[in-house]
Amino acid sequence: RDPSLPIVRGVDPWGTQRGRVPPSLYLPNGYTAGQGRRWPLVVFLNGRGTCGNLALWNFQLHGLRHWYGFLLLMPDSVRHAKGRFWCTPVDMLHAPDACGGSDDDAYIWSLVEEVRS
């Protein structure tokens, strides 16, 4: 993570004990908080087996946020015995023991709400 960028914590049921750290909020050139301008937010959910920070460079999103002017949030999935994945209702069907009944949909929405405020 980039320590110079804002950190978004959200309400995380897993946290660092499952290999997830709070994501950085990548800001475009010209962004100034509180200036009254509305900025689009792109939430990039990494695939299985990788983390958000790695995807930042693989998909060249680092430069695109400046070019197109959007906020970029790249949260990590959590690490389980069966790999890295998001605990969604579909994943809980395939690995209910890994998710422990916790659904990441609420976590992702809490990140979006934190950025909005």
Side-chain angles (χ1 to χ4, degrees):
R1 302 292 178 241
D2 186 337
S4 68
L5 296 174
I7 298 297
V8 182
R9 300 209 180 275
V11 179
D12 189 356
W14 297 113
T16 56
Q17 77 265 16
R18 294 299 281 272
R20 182 156 63 192
V21 296
S24 295
L25 179 62
Y26 295 90
L27 307 172
N29 290 336
Y31 178 84
T32 303
Q35 75 183 109
R37 179 177 172 191
R38 295 177 62 142
W39 295 82
L41 172 64
V42 173
V43 180
F44 184 93
L45 302 178
N46 58 285
R48 294 183 175 171
T50 187
C51 64
N53 209 25
L54 188 62
L56 175 71
W57 298 102
N58 287 346
F59 294 100
Q60 300 179 4
L61 295 171
H62 201 280
L64 290 176
R65 69 185 160 104
H66 298 301
W67 183 260
Y68 291 103
F70 58 83
L71 305 173
L72 177 62
L73 188 64
M74 302 180 72
D76 289 335
S77 56
V78 292
R79 189 173 38 240
H80 301 282
K82 297 183 181 196
R84 278 185 104 64
F85 60 87
W86 294 98
C87 286
T88 64
V90 172
D91 284 320
M92 287 192 286
L93 290 174
H94 299 297
D97 55 324
C99 291
S102 182
D103 189 347
D104 276 333
D105 291 351
Y107 168 63
I108 294 164
W109 277 115
S110 74
L111 295 173
V112 171
E113 288 300 317
E114 187 175 326
V115 172
R116 270 181 55 179
S117 62

